[in-house]
């Protein structure tokens, strides 16, 4: 993914980290937080599915309208924020790869829900910037989380 940038310093700027920290991520000395990976993916069109699983196509799907990209980014930000809030409230520790996979699964599920109703509705908070998804309040998301971390409820 880093090679898709014009330089390593450009990739570091996109990720919001120093070039030294980016180098530690690349060398495997440190693990990049998921939100850092999201920041690296979007500008160069790398698929979050590929980052989370290592399978499939590295390139993200093309042909999205710029409005769709904004909705996608907002939904991802709300999912990540909601999962972080849930972890803080419950004291749950989730390995980074598991967290990445959860975000991808949540994103797919919520995107399908939005598609089923023909897109966002005025009352739909999923796509309002700064509105974290309440993981505990959504039974499907809570069940997926319980299965992923081995704590069936």
């Amino acid at each position: 993914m880093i090679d898709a940038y014009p330089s390593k310093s450009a990739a570091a700027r996109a990720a919001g980290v120093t070039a030294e920290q980016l180098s530690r991520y690349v060398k495997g000395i440190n693990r990049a937080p998921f939100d850092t990976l999201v920041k690296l993916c979007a500008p160069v069109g790398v698929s979050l599915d590929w980052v989370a699983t290592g399978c499939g196509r590295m390139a993200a799907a093309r042909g999205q309208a710029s409005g769709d990209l904004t909705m996608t980014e907002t939904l991802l930000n709300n999912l990540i924020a909601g999962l972080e809030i849930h972890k803080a409230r419950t004291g749950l520790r989730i390995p980074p790869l598991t967290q990445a996979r959860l975000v991808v699964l949540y994103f797919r599920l919520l995107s399908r829900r939005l598609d089923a109703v023909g897109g966002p509705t005025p009352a739909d908070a999923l796509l309002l910037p700064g509105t974290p998804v309440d993981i505990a309040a959504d039974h499907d998301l809570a069940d997926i989380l319980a299965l992923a971390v081995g704590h069936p409820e």
Side-chain angles (χ1 to χ4, degrees):
M1 172 178 7
I2 304 303
D3 292 338
Y5 284 87
S7 68
K8 289 187 179 176
S9 60
R13 279 192 303 277
V17 299
T18 65
E20 292 79 21
Q21 182 62 44
L22 182 68
S23 178
R24 287 191 289 271
Y25 295 151
V26 171
K27 291 176 183 175
I29 296 168
N30 298 109
R31 285 184 177 225
F34 186 70
D35 61 331
T36 301
L37 296 174
V38 170
K39 290 176 190 175
L40 283 168
C41 287
V44 293
V46 172
S47 164
L48 284 170
D49 287 344
W50 179 80
V51 171
T53 65
C55 298
R57 298 182 61 198
M58 182 177 166
R62 299 282 183 216
Q64 291 182 315
S66 61
D68 291 341
L69 183 60
T70 301
M71 290 183 347
T72 298
E73 290 172 343
T74 301
L75 179 56
L76 279 171
N77 287 336
N78 289 345
L79 281 168
I80 292 166
L83 190 53
E84 291 300 322
I85 290 168
H86 185 77
K87 286 173 23 182
R89 284 184 184 155
T90 62
L92 187 62
R93 297 186 64 169
I94 305 172
L97 183 58
T98 301
Q99 182 166 328
R101 289 177 175 157
L102 280 169
V103 171
V104 170
L105 286 170
Y106 288 169
F107 179 80
R108 287 179 180 168
L109 174 67
L110 295 177
S111 293
R112 287 179 184 147
R113 285 182 186 170
L114 289 170
D115 288 344
V117 296
T121 64
D124 195 347
L126 289 175
L127 299 175
L128 295 176
T131 308
V133 174
D134 187 347
I135 305 296
D138 186 306
H139 297 296
D140 292 330
L141 300 182
D143 287 347
I144 291 168
L145 178 62
L147 289 169
V149 297
H151 298 289
E153 297 177 4

